[in-house]
Amino acid sequence: MAEMRVFIDGEAGTTGLGIRDRLRTMPQIERLTVPADLRKDPSAKRDAYAAADLVVLCLPDDAAREAVAMAATLGVDAPKILDASTAHRVAAGWTYGFAELQPAQARSIAEATHVANPGCYPTGGIALLRPLVAAGLLPADYPVTVNAVSGYSGGGKTMIETHERTGGPAFELYGLSLEHKHVPELQTYAKLARRPIFVPSVGHFRQGMLVSIPLHLDLLTGKPSGSDLHDVLAGYYAGAQQVRVVPAGDRTLEPEALNDTDVMELRVFGNPAAGQAVLVARLDNLGKGASGAAVQNIGLMLGLGETAEAARVLA
């Protein structure tokens, strides 16, 4: 098989660096580059796009939209696009790049020319909610609350510099206007009729993430037990490479256990006497929450299958 050519536009950022690192282990892919002094040169960028089979956008939203418009002018030389920004995640004509979203999603990604890489928080939230809505256990209008904590690497250059230079706060809530840019994505792909409340937070650790969703079991269809919810999730993701449903186990969870892997773990913690449960997703916000998902999508879009580094997937 001839090498497939990939250009990462914005590879100097955290997600771009993670993708570049992973692609180094994939001999089927040739990574195209532009000299550092020409990275913002429109002509050099256009040439790189025309030469690539697939372009990954690791850019701010407005720049990503401009890049997509430019690529469209290339006609038959236009590459496939994988956008890691927020710009196109709920846009018409774009395929959502969560391969485990539904049984046909991986095939949809493989056949698409424009794929939007998921956000890190929605990856956990959607993974927990979508199977329960699909099974009819969680009413689409259930008043969902999603609480999440991420390492500071998810906050961009300024937050990273603040934490690594001055120590940063030990913990802080943010997005308290309840207008976080991930809400539309979370609602759309979890199939929720009611807008969820999403409360993100950041801790003083570089990477790792926990996403938790509390539920009142008596408000769910059929009043299922926590074990019932676990079984639905386990069945939905049976055979998935990067999403694993595991027993609740210890009643404490720390967010960094999956760092430097592309795995996401899902758990259900329940209290039968109280009729309550908490769904929890644990993932590396830089792995399955960003670069790991991107490389999974690159493999699908280039016809290489759901490629993943063995070293980044726990045995």
Side-chain angles (χ1 to χ4, degrees):
M1 178 184 293
E3 288 186 339
M4 307 298 287
R5 296 159 296 179
V6 173
F7 176 60
I8 306 170
D9 193 352
E11 73 169 24
T14 304
T15 298
L17 291 172
I19 296 170
R20 184 183 70 181
D21 179 51
R22 286 162 169 78
L23 292 184
R24 284 174 176 158
T25 70
M26 298 172 62
Q28 317 97 311
I29 291 178
E30 175 188 357
R31 186 174 56 84
L32 304 181
T33 60
V34 171
D37 59 336
L38 295 177
R39 284 178 182 166
K40 295 186 179 181
D41 180 85
S43 178
K45 181 178 288 192
R46 182 182 176 86
D47 289 344
Y49 276 49
D53 295 295
L54 184 147
V55 170
V56 184
L57 304 180
C58 299
L59 302 169
D61 286 4
D62 287 344
R65 294 185 185 97
E66 292 172 2
V68 171
M70 185 272 288
T73 68
L74 294 172
V76 296
D77 291 328
K80 292 186 175 184
I81 302 287
L82 174 62
D83 185 8
S85 81
T86 314
H88 299 102
R89 289 182 184 156
V90 295
W94 287 75
T95 298
Y96 192 58
F98 181 24
E100 299 84 4
L101 180 68
Q102 57 188 348
Q105 195 68 15
R107 184 173 69 249
S108 296
I109 293 167
E111 296 172 351
T113 59
H114 292 73
V115 174
N117 212 53
C120 51
Y121 289 124
T123 294
I126 293 165
L128 293 166
L129 293 167
R130 178 68 175 254
L132 303 183
V133 174
L137 294 182
L138 183 74
D141 62 352
Y142 186 94
V144 169
T145 298
V146 179
N147 302 294
V149 59
S150 173
Y152 60 77
S153 58
K157 182 178 179 181
T158 299
M159 181 176 288
I160 292 171
E161 289 179 349
T162 298
H163 276 265
E164 295 187 347
R165 183 179 65 249
T166 66
F171 177 87
E172 61 180 336
L173 294 175
Y174 67 101
L176 294 175
S177 65
L178 304 183
E179 290 289 349
H180 195 281
K181 63 183 182 179
H182 285 161
V183 171
E185 174 186 1
L186 179 60
Q187 180 175 3
T188 297
Y189 297 108
K191 294 290 188 180
L192 300 176
R194 183 193 295 260
R195 188 177 189 271
I197 295 174
F198 173 50
V199 184
S201 60
V202 63
H204 184 56
F205 53 95
R206 179 172 175 81
Q207 64 196 85
M209 174 172 285
L210 294 173
V211 179
S212 60
I213 301 173
L215 297 174
H216 291 280
L217 298 174
D218 64 332
L219 298 181
L220 304 187
T221 304
K223 300 181 181 180
S225 66
S227 295
D228 293 332
L229 302 184
H230 172 97
D231 291 345
V232 169
L233 293 174
Y236 198 88
Y237 297 110
Q241 181 178 3
Q242 296 187 3
V243 179
R244 300 180 181 179
V245 181
V246 298
D250 294 339
R251 296 290 160 160
T252 60
L253 279 180
E254 55 87 18
E256 299 175 273
L258 297 179
N259 284 2
D260 300 317
T261 81
D262 294 333
V263 173
M264 175 167 59
E265 293 178 345
L266 308 181
R267 289 175 170 82
V268 178
F269 295 90
N271 183 323
Q276 297 173 330
V278 177
L279 314 175
V280 182
R282 175 162 61 180
L283 63 156
D284 181 355
N285 61 293
L286 300 183
K288 182 60 172 169
S291 302
V295 172
Q296 184 180 16
N297 288 324
I298 289 169
L300 289 168
M301 295 175 75
L302 295 181
L304 304 175
E306 293 190 57
T307 58
E309 289 182 67
R312 294 190 185 274
V313 179
L314 296 178

